[in-house]
Short mmCIF file of all heavy atoms in Angstrom, two decimals:
data_model
loop_
_atom_site.label_atom_id
_atom_site.label_comp_id
_atom_site.label_asym_id
_atom_site.label_seq_id
_atom_site.Cartn_x
_atom_site.Cartn_y
_atom_site.Cartn_z
N MET X 3 1.45 -11.26 -4.62
CA MET X 3 0.23 -10.50 -4.37
C MET X 3 -0.44 -10.92 -3.07
O MET X 3 -0.99 -10.12 -2.35
CB MET X 3 -0.75 -10.66 -5.53
CG MET X 3 -1.95 -9.68 -5.44
SD MET X 3 -2.82 -9.63 -6.99
CE MET X 3 -4.17 -8.54 -6.51
N SER X 4 -0.33 -12.21 -2.79
CA SER X 4 -0.90 -12.69 -1.53
C SER X 4 0.13 -12.64 -0.42
O SER X 4 -0.14 -13.03 0.71
CB SER X 4 -1.42 -14.13 -1.68
OG SER X 4 -0.37 -14.95 -2.08
N TYR X 5 1.28 -12.16 -0.76
CA TYR X 5 2.36 -12.10 0.22
C TYR X 5 2.05 -11.05 1.30
O TYR X 5 1.86 -9.87 0.96
CB TYR X 5 3.66 -11.72 -0.50
CG TYR X 5 4.85 -11.61 0.40
CD1 TYR X 5 5.49 -12.73 0.89
CD2 TYR X 5 5.34 -10.34 0.73
CE1 TYR X 5 6.59 -12.59 1.70
CE2 TYR X 5 6.45 -10.23 1.53
CZ TYR X 5 7.06 -11.35 2.03
OH TYR X 5 8.16 -11.23 2.85
N PRO X 6 1.94 -11.44 2.51
CA PRO X 6 1.57 -10.43 3.54
C PRO X 6 2.77 -9.54 3.89
O PRO X 6 3.87 -10.05 4.02
CB PRO X 6 1.14 -11.30 4.74
CG PRO X 6 1.89 -12.58 4.55
CD PRO X 6 2.09 -12.78 3.08
N PRO X 7 2.51 -8.26 4.03
CA PRO X 7 3.60 -7.39 4.50
C PRO X 7 3.97 -7.73 5.94
O PRO X 7 3.15 -8.28 6.69
CB PRO X 7 2.98 -5.98 4.44
CG PRO X 7 1.50 -6.19 4.49
CD PRO X 7 1.26 -7.54 3.86
N LYS X 8 5.17 -7.42 6.30
CA LYS X 8 5.63 -7.72 7.66
C LYS X 8 5.70 -6.41 8.47
O LYS X 8 6.07 -5.36 7.94
CB LYS X 8 6.97 -8.42 7.63
CG LYS X 8 6.88 -9.83 7.02
CD LYS X 8 8.00 -10.73 7.54
CE LYS X 8 7.73 -12.17 7.19
NZ LYS X 8 8.39 -12.60 5.99
N CYS X 9 5.38 -6.54 9.71
CA CYS X 9 5.44 -5.39 10.61
C CYS X 9 6.87 -4.90 10.70
O CYS X 9 7.81 -5.67 10.86
CB CYS X 9 4.94 -5.78 12.00
SG CYS X 9 5.16 -4.50 13.22
N LYS X 10 7.03 -3.55 10.57
CA LYS X 10 8.38 -2.99 10.61
C LYS X 10 8.93 -3.02 12.02
O LYS X 10 10.14 -2.94 12.21
CB LYS X 10 8.33 -1.52 10.11
CG LYS X 10 8.27 -1.43 8.62
CD LYS X 10 8.15 -0.01 8.19
CE LYS X 10 6.72 0.29 7.77
NZ LYS X 10 6.46 1.71 7.50
N SER X 11 8.06 -3.07 12.98
CA SER X 11 8.53 -3.04 14.37
C SER X 11 8.91 -4.37 14.92
O SER X 11 9.96 -4.53 15.52
CB SER X 11 7.42 -2.42 15.25
OG SER X 11 7.15 -1.08 14.83
N CYS X 12 8.05 -5.38 14.71
CA CYS X 12 8.33 -6.68 15.33
C CYS X 12 8.54 -7.79 14.30
O CYS X 12 8.95 -8.89 14.67
CB CYS X 12 7.17 -7.06 16.26
SG CYS X 12 5.64 -7.49 15.43
N GLY X 13 8.29 -7.53 13.00
CA GLY X 13 8.58 -8.52 11.99
C GLY X 13 7.50 -9.55 11.80
O GLY X 13 7.61 -10.44 10.96
N ALA X 14 6.42 -9.44 12.52
CA ALA X 14 5.32 -10.40 12.38
C ALA X 14 4.56 -10.15 11.07
O ALA X 14 4.49 -9.03 10.59
CB ALA X 14 4.34 -10.24 13.55
N GLU X 15 4.03 -11.21 10.47
CA GLU X 15 3.22 -11.05 9.27
C GLU X 15 1.92 -10.37 9.66
O GLU X 15 1.25 -10.77 10.63
CB GLU X 15 2.96 -12.41 8.62
CG GLU X 15 4.21 -12.98 8.00
CD GLU X 15 3.88 -14.26 7.21
OE1 GLU X 15 2.77 -14.75 7.28
OE2 GLU X 15 4.79 -14.75 6.51
N MET X 16 1.53 -9.37 8.84
CA MET X 16 0.37 -8.57 9.22
C MET X 16 -0.92 -9.23 8.68
O MET X 16 -0.91 -9.99 7.73
CB MET X 16 0.55 -7.15 8.68
CG MET X 16 1.74 -6.47 9.33
SD MET X 16 2.13 -4.87 8.61
CE MET X 16 0.99 -3.84 9.49
N ASP X 17 -2.01 -8.89 9.33
CA ASP X 17 -3.31 -9.50 9.02
C ASP X 17 -4.25 -8.50 8.38
O ASP X 17 -4.21 -7.31 8.70
CB ASP X 17 -3.97 -10.01 10.30
CG ASP X 17 -3.20 -11.15 10.95
OD1 ASP X 17 -2.62 -11.94 10.19
OD2 ASP X 17 -3.14 -11.21 12.18
N ALA X 18 -5.11 -8.98 7.47
CA ALA X 18 -6.18 -8.14 6.93
C ALA X 18 -7.30 -9.07 6.49
O ALA X 18 -7.10 -10.27 6.31
CB ALA X 18 -5.70 -7.33 5.74
N GLU X 19 -8.48 -8.54 6.36
CA GLU X 19 -9.62 -9.31 5.89
C GLU X 19 -9.74 -9.26 4.40
O GLU X 19 -9.55 -8.21 3.77
CB GLU X 19 -10.92 -8.78 6.53
CG GLU X 19 -10.95 -8.89 8.04
CD GLU X 19 -11.03 -10.33 8.53
OE1 GLU X 19 -11.71 -11.14 7.85
OE2 GLU X 19 -10.40 -10.64 9.54
N PHE X 20 -10.05 -10.41 3.75
CA PHE X 20 -10.22 -10.45 2.30
C PHE X 20 -11.58 -11.06 1.99
O PHE X 20 -12.10 -11.91 2.74
CB PHE X 20 -9.14 -11.33 1.66
CG PHE X 20 -7.78 -10.71 1.72
CD1 PHE X 20 -6.97 -10.86 2.83
CD2 PHE X 20 -7.29 -9.96 0.64
CE1 PHE X 20 -5.73 -10.30 2.88
CE2 PHE X 20 -6.03 -9.40 0.69
CZ PHE X 20 -5.26 -9.55 1.81
N VAL X 21 -12.19 -10.61 0.88
CA VAL X 21 -13.43 -11.22 0.40
C VAL X 21 -13.22 -11.69 -1.05
O VAL X 21 -12.47 -11.07 -1.80
CB VAL X 21 -14.63 -10.26 0.47
CG1 VAL X 21 -14.98 -9.95 1.92
CG2 VAL X 21 -14.36 -9.01 -0.30
N ASP X 22 -13.89 -12.79 -1.40
CA ASP X 22 -13.82 -13.29 -2.77
C ASP X 22 -14.77 -12.48 -3.64
O ASP X 22 -15.96 -12.43 -3.39
CB ASP X 22 -14.23 -14.77 -2.75
CG ASP X 22 -13.88 -15.45 -4.08
OD1 ASP X 22 -13.81 -14.73 -5.11
OD2 ASP X 22 -13.71 -16.67 -4.07
N ILE X 23 -14.22 -11.82 -4.68
CA ILE X 23 -15.07 -10.99 -5.55
C ILE X 23 -15.21 -11.62 -6.94
O ILE X 23 -15.52 -10.98 -7.91
CB ILE X 23 -14.52 -9.56 -5.67
CG1 ILE X 23 -13.06 -9.60 -6.17
CG2 ILE X 23 -14.62 -8.83 -4.35
CD1 ILE X 23 -12.52 -8.19 -6.52
N GLY X 24 -14.96 -12.94 -7.04
CA GLY X 24 -15.15 -13.63 -8.33
C GLY X 24 -13.91 -13.75 -9.16
O GLY X 24 -13.55 -14.80 -9.61
N ILE X 25 -13.23 -12.60 -9.37
CA ILE X 25 -12.01 -12.61 -10.17
C ILE X 25 -10.78 -12.72 -9.28
O ILE X 25 -9.66 -12.59 -9.74
CB ILE X 25 -11.89 -11.34 -11.04
CG1 ILE X 25 -12.00 -10.09 -10.15
CG2 ILE X 25 -12.99 -11.34 -12.09
CD1 ILE X 25 -11.67 -8.77 -10.88
N GLY X 26 -11.03 -12.93 -8.01
CA GLY X 26 -9.91 -13.02 -7.06
C GLY X 26 -10.43 -12.54 -5.71
O GLY X 26 -11.61 -12.52 -5.47
N THR X 27 -9.48 -12.11 -4.89
CA THR X 27 -9.88 -11.62 -3.59
C THR X 27 -9.57 -10.13 -3.49
O THR X 27 -8.62 -9.67 -4.10
CB THR X 27 -9.18 -12.39 -2.45
OG1 THR X 27 -7.77 -12.32 -2.66
CG2 THR X 27 -9.62 -13.83 -2.42
N GLN X 28 -10.37 -9.43 -2.72
CA GLN X 28 -10.14 -8.01 -2.52
C GLN X 28 -9.94 -7.79 -1.03
O GLN X 28 -10.70 -8.28 -0.20
CB GLN X 28 -11.34 -7.21 -3.01
CG GLN X 28 -11.13 -5.70 -2.84
CD GLN X 28 -12.25 -4.91 -3.50
OE1 GLN X 28 -13.36 -5.39 -3.66
NE2 GLN X 28 -11.94 -3.67 -3.86
N GLN X 29 -8.92 -6.97 -0.72
CA GLN X 29 -8.69 -6.63 0.68
C GLN X 29 -9.71 -5.63 1.16
O GLN X 29 -9.94 -4.59 0.50
CB GLN X 29 -7.27 -6.04 0.79
CG GLN X 29 -6.86 -5.76 2.24
CD GLN X 29 -5.43 -5.29 2.33
OE1 GLN X 29 -4.65 -5.45 1.38
NE2 GLN X 29 -5.06 -4.71 3.44
N VAL X 30 -10.36 -5.91 2.27
CA VAL X 30 -11.41 -5.04 2.76
C VAL X 30 -11.08 -4.33 4.07
O VAL X 30 -11.83 -3.51 4.53
CB VAL X 30 -12.74 -5.80 2.92
CG1 VAL X 30 -13.26 -6.23 1.53
CG2 VAL X 30 -12.60 -7.01 3.80
N THR X 31 -9.96 -4.71 4.65
CA THR X 31 -9.53 -3.97 5.84
C THR X 31 -8.06 -3.63 5.70
O THR X 31 -7.34 -4.22 4.85
CB THR X 31 -9.70 -4.82 7.13
OG1 THR X 31 -8.83 -5.93 7.10
CG2 THR X 31 -11.15 -5.28 7.32
N ASP X 32 -7.60 -2.68 6.46
CA ASP X 32 -6.19 -2.31 6.43
C ASP X 32 -5.35 -3.45 7.05
O ASP X 32 -5.85 -4.23 7.86
CB ASP X 32 -5.96 -1.04 7.27
CG ASP X 32 -6.58 0.18 6.62
OD1 ASP X 32 -6.69 0.17 5.39
OD2 ASP X 32 -6.96 1.11 7.33
N TRP X 33 -4.07 -3.48 6.65
CA TRP X 33 -3.17 -4.40 7.27
C TRP X 33 -2.98 -4.02 8.73
O TRP X 33 -2.86 -2.85 9.06
CB TRP X 33 -1.82 -4.38 6.55
CG TRP X 33 -1.84 -5.00 5.22
CD1 TRP X 33 -1.80 -4.33 4.01
CD2 TRP X 33 -1.97 -6.39 4.90
NE1 TRP X 33 -1.88 -5.25 2.99
CE2 TRP X 33 -1.96 -6.51 3.50
CE3 TRP X 33 -2.03 -7.54 5.68
CZ2 TRP X 33 -2.04 -7.75 2.86
CZ3 TRP X 33 -2.12 -8.78 5.02
CH2 TRP X 33 -2.13 -8.87 3.64
N GLU X 34 -2.94 -5.03 9.58
CA GLU X 34 -2.76 -4.78 10.99
C GLU X 34 -1.73 -5.76 11.53
O GLU X 34 -1.79 -6.95 11.26
CB GLU X 34 -4.05 -4.99 11.74
CG GLU X 34 -4.89 -3.76 11.98
CD GLU X 34 -6.11 -4.08 12.82
OE1 GLU X 34 -7.11 -4.51 12.22
OE2 GLU X 34 -6.05 -3.90 14.03
N CYS X 35 -0.84 -5.23 12.32
CA CYS X 35 0.10 -6.10 13.01
C CYS X 35 -0.63 -6.85 14.09
O CYS X 35 -1.41 -6.27 14.84
CB CYS X 35 1.23 -5.27 13.65
SG CYS X 35 2.32 -6.27 14.70
N PRO X 36 -0.46 -8.15 14.19
CA PRO X 36 -1.14 -8.91 15.27
C PRO X 36 -0.73 -8.39 16.64
O PRO X 36 -1.45 -8.58 17.58
CB PRO X 36 -0.70 -10.36 15.02
CG PRO X 36 0.50 -10.27 14.17
CD PRO X 36 0.38 -9.02 13.35
N ASN X 37 0.42 -7.77 16.69
CA ASN X 37 0.86 -7.19 17.96
C ASN X 37 0.55 -5.71 18.07
O ASN X 37 0.89 -5.08 19.04
CB ASN X 37 2.39 -7.43 18.13
CG ASN X 37 2.72 -8.87 18.10
OD1 ASN X 37 2.01 -9.73 18.64
ND2 ASN X 37 3.81 -9.24 17.40
N GLU X 38 -0.06 -5.17 17.01
CA GLU X 38 -0.52 -3.78 16.99
C GLU X 38 0.57 -2.76 17.23
O GLU X 38 0.31 -1.67 17.72
CB GLU X 38 -1.64 -3.58 18.04
CG GLU X 38 -2.85 -4.44 17.75
CD GLU X 38 -3.97 -4.20 18.74
OE1 GLU X 38 -3.80 -3.34 19.63
OE2 GLU X 38 -5.00 -4.87 18.63
N CYS X 39 1.81 -3.07 16.87
CA CYS X 39 2.88 -2.09 17.14
C CYS X 39 3.19 -1.23 15.93
O CYS X 39 3.63 -0.10 16.09
CB CYS X 39 4.11 -2.80 17.64
SG CYS X 39 4.74 -4.11 16.61
N GLY X 40 3.01 -1.72 14.68
CA GLY X 40 3.42 -0.93 13.55
C GLY X 40 2.24 -0.36 12.76
O GLY X 40 2.44 0.30 11.76
N TYR X 41 1.04 -0.56 13.22
CA TYR X 41 -0.12 -0.21 12.46
C TYR X 41 -0.24 1.29 12.21
O TYR X 41 -0.51 1.72 11.08
CB TYR X 41 -1.37 -0.73 13.15
CG TYR X 41 -2.65 -0.26 12.51
CD1 TYR X 41 -2.98 -0.72 11.25
CD2 TYR X 41 -3.46 0.66 13.15
CE1 TYR X 41 -4.15 -0.27 10.66
CE2 TYR X 41 -4.61 1.10 12.56
CZ TYR X 41 -4.96 0.63 11.30
OH TYR X 41 -6.09 1.07 10.68
N LEU X 42 -0.03 2.10 13.21
CA LEU X 42 -0.20 3.55 13.08
C LEU X 42 0.77 4.09 12.09
O LEU X 42 0.42 4.96 11.25
CB LEU X 42 -0.04 4.22 14.43
CG LEU X 42 -1.25 4.17 15.35
CD1 LEU X 42 -0.92 4.77 16.72
CD2 LEU X 42 -2.45 4.88 14.72
N GLU X 43 2.03 3.64 12.11
CA GLU X 43 3.02 4.15 11.16
C GLU X 43 2.63 3.76 9.73
O GLU X 43 2.78 4.56 8.81
CB GLU X 43 4.40 3.57 11.50
CG GLU X 43 4.99 4.18 12.75
CD GLU X 43 6.34 3.60 13.06
OE1 GLU X 43 6.92 2.95 12.21
OE2 GLU X 43 6.81 3.80 14.21
N TRP X 44 2.12 2.59 9.57
CA TRP X 44 1.71 2.15 8.24
C TRP X 44 0.53 3.02 7.79
O TRP X 44 0.50 3.47 6.63
CB TRP X 44 1.28 0.67 8.29
CG TRP X 44 0.86 0.16 6.97
CD1 TRP X 44 1.66 -0.40 6.00
CD2 TRP X 44 -0.47 0.19 6.42
NE1 TRP X 44 0.89 -0.71 4.90
CE2 TRP X 44 -0.40 -0.38 5.12
CE3 TRP X 44 -1.69 0.64 6.89
CZ2 TRP X 44 -1.52 -0.50 4.31
CZ3 TRP X 44 -2.81 0.52 6.08
CH2 TRP X 44 -2.71 -0.04 4.80
N GLN X 45 -0.42 3.25 8.63
CA GLN X 45 -1.58 4.04 8.24
C GLN X 45 -1.16 5.48 7.89
O GLN X 45 -1.70 6.10 6.96
CB GLN X 45 -2.61 4.06 9.41
CG GLN X 45 -3.91 4.76 9.06
CD GLN X 45 -4.68 4.00 7.98
OE1 GLN X 45 -4.96 2.82 8.12
NE2 GLN X 45 -5.00 4.68 6.88
N TYR X 46 -0.19 5.98 8.64
CA TYR X 46 0.34 7.32 8.35
C TYR X 46 0.93 7.36 6.93
O TYR X 46 0.65 8.27 6.17
CB TYR X 46 1.42 7.65 9.39
CG TYR X 46 2.27 8.87 9.06
CD1 TYR X 46 1.68 10.14 9.14
CD2 TYR X 46 3.60 8.75 8.67
CE1 TYR X 46 2.47 11.26 8.85
CE2 TYR X 46 4.35 9.85 8.39
CZ TYR X 46 3.81 11.11 8.47
OH TYR X 46 4.56 12.19 8.17
N GLU X 47 1.68 6.35 6.56
CA GLU X 47 2.27 6.31 5.23
C GLU X 47 1.18 6.26 4.15
O GLU X 47 1.30 6.91 3.12
CB GLU X 47 3.20 5.09 5.08
CG GLU X 47 4.48 5.26 5.91
CD GLU X 47 5.35 4.02 5.80
OE1 GLU X 47 5.06 3.12 4.97
OE2 GLU X 47 6.33 3.94 6.57
N GLN X 48 0.15 5.49 4.39
CA GLN X 48 -0.94 5.42 3.42
C GLN X 48 -1.63 6.76 3.28
O GLN X 48 -1.94 7.21 2.16
CB GLN X 48 -1.98 4.36 3.84
CG GLN X 48 -1.41 2.96 4.04
CD GLN X 48 -0.57 2.51 2.86
OE1 GLN X 48 -1.03 2.47 1.74
NE2 GLN X 48 0.68 2.18 3.12
N ASP X 49 -1.87 7.44 4.38
CA ASP X 49 -2.52 8.75 4.35
C ASP X 49 -1.66 9.76 3.61
O ASP X 49 -2.15 10.58 2.83
CB ASP X 49 -2.80 9.23 5.76
CG ASP X 49 -4.06 8.61 6.36
OD1 ASP X 49 -4.64 7.73 5.69
OD2 ASP X 49 -4.45 9.00 7.46
N MET X 50 -0.36 9.71 3.82
CA MET X 50 0.55 10.68 3.17
C MET X 50 0.62 10.48 1.69
O MET X 50 0.91 11.41 0.93
CB MET X 50 1.95 10.61 3.82
CG MET X 50 2.03 11.15 5.23
SD MET X 50 1.42 12.87 5.39
CE MET X 50 -0.23 12.59 6.03
N LYS X 51 0.39 9.24 1.19
CA LYS X 51 0.41 9.00 -0.25
C LYS X 51 -0.68 9.77 -0.97
O LYS X 51 -0.55 10.10 -2.12
CB LYS X 51 0.22 7.50 -0.52
CG LYS X 51 1.49 6.67 -0.27
CD LYS X 51 1.21 5.23 -0.58
CE LYS X 51 2.42 4.35 -0.19
NZ LYS X 51 2.12 2.94 -0.33
N VAL X 52 -1.80 10.00 -0.29
CA VAL X 52 -2.94 10.66 -0.92
C VAL X 52 -3.21 12.07 -0.36
O VAL X 52 -4.12 12.74 -0.76
CB VAL X 52 -4.23 9.82 -0.80
CG1 VAL X 52 -4.01 8.50 -1.52
CG2 VAL X 52 -4.58 9.57 0.66
N ALA X 53 -2.42 12.47 0.64
CA ALA X 53 -2.65 13.75 1.31
C ALA X 53 -2.20 14.91 0.44
O ALA X 53 -1.21 14.83 -0.25
CB ALA X 53 -1.93 13.76 2.65
N ASN X 54 -2.98 15.99 0.47
CA ASN X 54 -2.61 17.21 -0.23
C ASN X 54 -1.52 17.93 0.53
O ASN X 54 -0.65 18.56 -0.05
CB ASN X 54 -3.81 18.14 -0.37
CG ASN X 54 -4.86 17.57 -1.31
OD1 ASN X 54 -4.49 16.94 -2.33
ND2 ASN X 54 -6.12 17.71 -0.99
N VAL X 55 -1.59 17.88 1.82
CA VAL X 55 -0.62 18.53 2.66
C VAL X 55 0.11 17.50 3.48
O VAL X 55 -0.50 16.67 4.16
CB VAL X 55 -1.32 19.55 3.64
CG1 VAL X 55 -0.28 20.23 4.52
CG2 VAL X 55 -2.13 20.56 2.83
N LYS X 56 1.44 17.47 3.38
CA LYS X 56 2.23 16.52 4.13
C LYS X 56 2.43 17.05 5.54
O LYS X 56 2.80 18.22 5.74
CB LYS X 56 3.61 16.31 3.48
CG LYS X 56 3.52 15.94 2.01
CD LYS X 56 2.79 14.64 1.79
CE LYS X 56 2.75 14.30 0.30
NZ LYS X 56 1.78 13.22 -0.01
N ILE X 57 2.18 16.21 6.49
CA ILE X 57 2.36 16.61 7.90
C ILE X 57 3.27 15.59 8.58
O ILE X 57 3.46 14.49 8.09
CB ILE X 57 1.01 16.72 8.64
CG1 ILE X 57 0.26 15.38 8.56
CG2 ILE X 57 0.20 17.89 8.07
CD1 ILE X 57 -1.05 15.41 9.34
N SER X 58 3.76 16.00 9.72
CA SER X 58 4.63 15.09 10.47
C SER X 58 3.80 13.98 11.12
O SER X 58 2.58 14.10 11.24
CB SER X 58 5.39 15.84 11.56
OG SER X 58 4.51 16.19 12.62
N PHE X 59 4.46 12.91 11.51
CA PHE X 59 3.76 11.82 12.16
C PHE X 59 3.06 12.26 13.44
O PHE X 59 1.92 11.87 13.71
CB PHE X 59 4.77 10.70 12.48
CG PHE X 59 4.14 9.45 13.04
CD1 PHE X 59 3.21 8.73 12.29
CD2 PHE X 59 4.46 9.02 14.30
CE1 PHE X 59 2.63 7.58 12.81
CE2 PHE X 59 3.87 7.86 14.81
CZ PHE X 59 2.97 7.12 14.08
N ASP X 60 3.72 13.16 14.19
CA ASP X 60 3.08 13.66 15.41
C ASP X 60 1.83 14.46 15.12
O ASP X 60 0.81 14.31 15.78
CB ASP X 60 4.08 14.53 16.20
CG ASP X 60 5.13 13.66 16.89
OD1 ASP X 60 4.92 12.45 17.03
OD2 ASP X 60 6.19 14.24 17.26
N GLU X 61 1.93 15.32 14.08
CA GLU X 61 0.75 16.13 13.69
C GLU X 61 -0.37 15.22 13.23
O GLU X 61 -1.55 15.43 13.51
CB GLU X 61 1.12 17.09 12.59
CG GLU X 61 1.95 18.30 13.09
CD GLU X 61 2.32 19.21 11.94
OE1 GLU X 61 2.91 18.66 10.96
OE2 GLU X 61 2.06 20.40 12.03
N TRP X 62 0.01 14.20 12.43
CA TRP X 62 -0.97 13.28 11.91
C TRP X 62 -1.69 12.56 13.03
O TRP X 62 -2.92 12.34 13.00
CB TRP X 62 -0.30 12.30 10.98
CG TRP X 62 -1.20 11.23 10.48
CD1 TRP X 62 -2.07 11.31 9.42
CD2 TRP X 62 -1.36 9.89 11.02
NE1 TRP X 62 -2.74 10.12 9.28
CE2 TRP X 62 -2.34 9.25 10.25
CE3 TRP X 62 -0.77 9.22 12.08
CZ2 TRP X 62 -2.73 7.94 10.49
CZ3 TRP X 62 -1.18 7.91 12.34
CH2 TRP X 62 -2.12 7.28 11.54
N LEU X 63 -0.95 12.16 14.03
CA LEU X 63 -1.56 11.49 15.21
C LEU X 63 -2.63 12.37 15.83
O LEU X 63 -3.74 11.93 16.11
CB LEU X 63 -0.50 11.15 16.23
CG LEU X 63 0.25 9.82 16.04
CD1 LEU X 63 1.24 9.63 17.16
CD2 LEU X 63 -0.68 8.64 15.98
N LYS X 64 -2.28 13.66 16.03
CA LYS X 64 -3.26 14.57 16.62
C LYS X 64 -4.45 14.78 15.72
O LYS X 64 -5.59 14.72 16.16
CB LYS X 64 -2.58 15.95 16.90
CG LYS X 64 -1.52 15.91 17.96
CD LYS X 64 -0.86 17.25 18.10
CE LYS X 64 0.44 17.18 18.87
NZ LYS X 64 1.23 18.39 18.70
N ASN X 65 -4.19 15.04 14.41
CA ASN X 65 -5.28 15.25 13.48
C ASN X 65 -6.13 14.01 13.33
O ASN X 65 -7.34 14.06 13.20
CB ASN X 65 -4.72 15.67 12.12
CG ASN X 65 -4.09 17.04 12.18
OD1 ASN X 65 -4.42 17.83 13.06
ND2 ASN X 65 -3.20 17.32 11.22
N GLY X 66 -5.45 12.85 13.27
CA GLY X 66 -6.18 11.58 13.11
C GLY X 66 -7.13 11.34 14.24
O GLY X 66 -8.26 10.94 14.01
N VAL X 67 -6.67 11.60 15.43
CA VAL X 67 -7.52 11.39 16.59
C VAL X 67 -8.72 12.38 16.54
O VAL X 67 -9.87 11.99 16.72
CB VAL X 67 -6.74 11.66 17.90
CG1 VAL X 67 -7.68 11.68 19.09
CG2 VAL X 67 -5.72 10.53 18.07
N ASN X 68 -8.42 13.64 16.18
CA ASN X 68 -9.49 14.63 16.15
C ASN X 68 -10.49 14.36 15.04
O ASN X 68 -11.70 14.55 15.20
CB ASN X 68 -8.91 16.03 15.96
CG ASN X 68 -8.15 16.47 17.22
OD1 ASN X 68 -8.39 15.95 18.31
ND2 ASN X 68 -7.20 17.37 17.04
N SER X 69 -10.00 13.96 13.87
CA SER X 69 -10.88 13.79 12.71
C SER X 69 -11.77 12.55 12.83
O SER X 69 -12.70 12.35 12.07
CB SER X 69 -10.07 13.72 11.42
OG SER X 69 -9.27 12.56 11.41
N ASN X 70 -11.47 11.71 13.78
CA ASN X 70 -12.30 10.55 13.97
C ASN X 70 -13.54 10.85 14.82
O ASN X 70 -14.40 10.01 14.98
CB ASN X 70 -11.51 9.42 14.67
CG ASN X 70 -10.56 8.73 13.68
OD1 ASN X 70 -10.79 8.76 12.48
ND2 ASN X 70 -9.52 8.12 14.18
N GLU X 71 -13.56 12.07 15.36
CA GLU X 71 -14.71 12.42 16.18
C GLU X 71 -15.97 12.54 15.34
O GLU X 71 -15.92 13.04 14.24
CB GLU X 71 -14.45 13.77 16.88
CG GLU X 71 -13.32 13.68 17.90
CD GLU X 71 -13.70 12.77 19.10
OE1 GLU X 71 -14.88 12.78 19.44
OE2 GLU X 71 -12.84 12.07 19.60
ZN1 ZN R 112 4.38 -5.53 15.05
#
């Protein structure tokens, strides 16, 4: 459970922030590659797990940028 995922691009262990909530720790930020190379692909996969409409990675990049406005 505390095992950090590894970046698919460079293999580095990814970082995230955790807080102690009494019964354990809760992750409060997304996993991020310290080299920032695999983060977008990971975020895309997370979004697609809950998305009503599946879109391509390229479309997601465009929509993601726009929806952050
Ligand atoms: Zn990486």
